[in-house]
Amino acid sequence: MDPAAEQFGRNRGDMLEQLGVIDALLDEAAAGGGQKAMDRMRSRGKMPVRERIAAVLDPNSPFLEISPLAGYGSDYALGGGMVIGIGVIAGTECVILANDPSVLGGALTPYAWKKWARALEIARDNRMPYVSFVESAGADLRVETDNGGGRKVNTTHFAESGRFFYELIELSKMRIPTVCVVFGSSTAGGAYQPGLSDYNIVVKGQSKIFLAGPPLVKMATGEESDDESLGGAALHAEVSGLGDYFAEDEMDALRICREVVSHLNWRKAGPEALLPAEEPAYDAEELLGLVSRDLRQPVDVRDVIARVADGSRFEEFKARYGPTVVCGWTRIHGYPVGVLGNNGVIYPDAAEKAAHFIQLCNQIDVPLLFLQNITGYIVGREFEAAGIIKKGSQMLNAVSNSTVPHLTVIIGASYGAGTYGMSGRAFGNRFTFLWPTAKIAVMGPKQIAGVMSMVRRGRAAREGLEFDEEEDAQIVAMVEEIQERGSLALAATGAISDDGIIDPRDTRTVLGLCLSVVRNRPIAGAEGYGVFRL
């Protein structure tokens, strides 16, 4: 790689432009419901949600926010009215979920539901304490759709929403602590968030927990009541017993939250890093110029590894065999990891090598890092005869049966079955992050448009119709544009198909955090068979 090359400079400029767009969107997400809503919260003695999170974290410790741009491209506020992520509280890595009351009063939008599910999944899969900051108006009742029969129904189905309570109970059953701080309203189904948590902290004059608020109680029973007498902090701390700790204000509640986490006696079940972290020999700034917006431009994934790995050291496995999949061992922030990266389409020998390498990592209990830039498995008569389906299936089988943690970073293309073979989101990986250059699709936009054009041409020939070349060219251009837009990283992250878009320069830091997180539970490779040469 030559940082002085014209292509490198062009790539770097394009990457910085894309990062500028993403930074502006992150600022928009952090603004929540806007300045007016923020001012209203402060006038009531309330802190914005990100200030609450910052105050509960250990000083100078990072917060890895998950899906901060959820809802991009929709009519909802960026972030979906909820913040989730991973942070260190009293020396303990925790999953943190926080309703953003500046957005629709913290109502649960469709994107908030998906983020909530992801937060529970991260806590369960990585065996991490789960801390929730609750202040929500409940389900977003405005969301309606036509169910096909002409009747309007709410898309957040009541029966399905109960799954979140089941998952919360499961965490406690698995001896994963759940801590709830109630900053405001927690009504109806939302009342079960503190109801099902191991520890509850209520805030004087702010917490409101009841199955039905005063208006509904009046309608149902005729009883007159107000928020405080029906379900205020004092009632639950002194009478009902739902509140375990009574806080004078929000900062006091966060102090108590830290104390609760500190007494959990939490220890990681997996091994700590055996060696100290060592900075790479190559500058992470150079990651900005590696990947072109035109993903047809080749990228040597070893250049990425060299700027992420400790000391830029990489022990490559089977370097001369199946070279389009690069495999090998390294360390990131002192943690051992096996790396699989793409240097082109996956050929039969490359798939075979990958399957072999995955088995080896499982034999020695080493997590796997997949660096995706893949257009798919090779196609064609020669490769069908060489067993690409069989070899590709062996690779998929190895990925599926692997039980060590998988981390995935999509740096470029993620097309077709290649995204599965390289441990895409559907294959149970612990975390998936994107670079701004990532594109996720069934195949490239030009290929999709071209295949559809060939189908139209074939149909016209079969039916004896004249083929309109001009009209077809217009359709091809339209399909290419639609497919290109739909494949972009922002479209994917807006739909919460990943854990977020990251600055390439932050890749090493993000991976280091994730490698630490996955060690909250034992790291054990798949059992039942030894390594065999396919």
Side-chain angles (χ1 to χ4, degrees), residues 55-68:
V56 82
L57 296 177
D58 289 359
N60 301 316
S61 66
F63 179 65
L64 180 58
E65 187 170 352
I66 302 297
S67 297

Side-chain angles (χ1 to χ4, degrees), residues 122-421:
I122 292 172
R124 181 184 66 247
D125 290 351
N126 297 288
R127 189 179 166 272
M128 298 174 68
Y130 172 87
V131 177
S132 58
F133 291 173
V134 176
E135 183 168 8
S136 173
D140 182 3
L141 301 178
R142 307 169 311 149
V143 185
E144 294 185 332
T145 186
D146 194 321
N147 68 354
R151 183 170 60 88
K152 295 287 185 178
V153 295
N154 188 265
T155 57
T156 306
H157 195 274
F158 176 74
E160 292 178 355
S161 66
R163 181 71 188 185
F164 295 93
F165 304 137
Y166 173 86
E167 295 288 349
L168 194 55
I169 295 167
E170 283 290 291
L171 291 183
S172 186
K173 176 183 175 182
M174 296 168 67
R175 302 184 70 179
I176 298 173
T178 56
V179 182
C180 180
V181 185
V182 184
F183 285 103
S185 177
S186 184
T187 309
Y192 289 106
Q193 291 186 71
L196 298 173
S197 295
D198 296 343
Y199 302 89
N200 284 319
I201 302 162
V202 293
V203 183
K204 179 181 178 181
Q206 291 187 194
S207 301
K208 298 175 179 62
I209 312 169
F210 28 59
L211 293 182
L216 182 54
V217 168
K218 173 68 174 176
M219 290 296 297
T221 68
E223 180 181 87
E224 295 282 354
S225 59
D226 57 47
D227 287 349
E228 194 63 30
S229 64
L230 185 63
L235 177 130
H236 287 303
E238 300 167 6
V239 182
S240 80
L242 178 63
D244 304 313
Y245 301 88
F246 183 87
E248 292 293 329
D249 55 30
E250 293 199 1
M251 285 302 293
D252 191 36
L254 295 170
R255 176 190 62 79
I256 295 170
C257 180
R258 288 180 54 80
E259 289 187 355
V260 169
V261 174
S262 72
H263 86 239
L264 295 177
N265 195 30
W266 195 254
R267 293 181 177 87
K268 290 187 177 183
E272 292 290 347
L274 297 178
L275 295 175
E278 183 181 352
E279 287 298 314
Y282 294 90
D283 191 352
E285 283 288 325
E286 294 173 345
L287 292 172
L288 295 175
L290 282 181
V291 183
S292 170
R293 268 183 168 160
D294 179 3
L295 297 182
R296 293 171 299 180
Q297 297 292 325
V299 179
D300 190 337
V301 74
R302 296 178 187 87
D303 285 330
V304 177
I305 297 168
R307 288 155 182 82
V308 170
D310 285 8
S312 298
R313 286 185 293 273
F314 181 58
E315 178 194 334
E316 189 165 352
F317 175 72
K318 283 183 178 288
R320 293 171 176 254
Y321 187 79
T324 58
V325 172
V326 175
C327 302
W329 287 276
T330 189
R331 289 180 183 270
I332 298 176
H333 281 278
Y335 295 110
V337 63
V339 182
L340 294 92
N342 302 118
N343 268 1
V345 296
I346 302 177
Y347 287 83
D349 56 354
E352 177 187 295
K353 177 174 78 171
H356 185 184
F357 180 73
I358 291 167
Q359 291 178 46
L360 290 172
C361 288
N362 274 262
Q363 282 287 92
I364 58 176
D365 300 334
V366 170
L368 288 162
L369 166 62
F370 295 82
L371 297 174
Q372 284 196 17
N373 184 21
I374 179 64
T375 54
Y377 289 88
I378 191 69
V379 296
R381 187 164 54 191
E382 173 188 350
F383 304 107
E384 294 292 355
I388 186 60
I389 295 175
K390 181 174 67 174
K391 297 297 184 183
S393 296
Q394 288 169 353
M395 182 176 174
L396 287 167
N397 197 295
V399 170
S400 299
N401 282 289
S402 171
T403 55
V404 296
H406 292 189
L407 309 178
T408 301
V409 180
I410 303 176
I411 66 174
S414 182
Y415 296 159
T419 191
Y420 306 142

Side-chain angles (χ1 to χ4, degrees), residues 447-458 467 469 472-473 476:
Q447 288 73 24
I448 292 177
V451 167
M452 293 175 67
S453 175
M454 292 172 67
V455 170
R456 288 192 298 273
R457 191 180 298 273
F467 189 72
E469 297 285 355
D472 183 69
V476 166

Side-chain angles (χ1 to χ4, degrees), residues 65-134:
E65 187 170 352
I66 302 297
S67 297
L69 299 183
Y72 172 81
S74 74
D75 293 332
Y76 289 90
L78 273 178
M82 179 179 284
V83 177
I84 67 170
I86 297 167
V88 180
I89 302 174
T92 301
E93 289 169 343
C94 300
V95 175
I96 301 172
L97 175 146
N99 301 117
D100 186 350
S102 73
V103 180
L104 301 175
L108 295 169
T109 68
Y111 295 99
W113 288 109
K114 290 186 73 174
K115 291 178 77 167
W116 189 4
R118 180 64 180 134
L120 291 165
E121 181 181 48
I122 292 172
R124 181 184 66 247
D125 290 351
N126 297 288
R127 189 179 166 272
M128 298 174 68
Y130 172 87
V131 177
S132 58
F133 291 173
V134 176

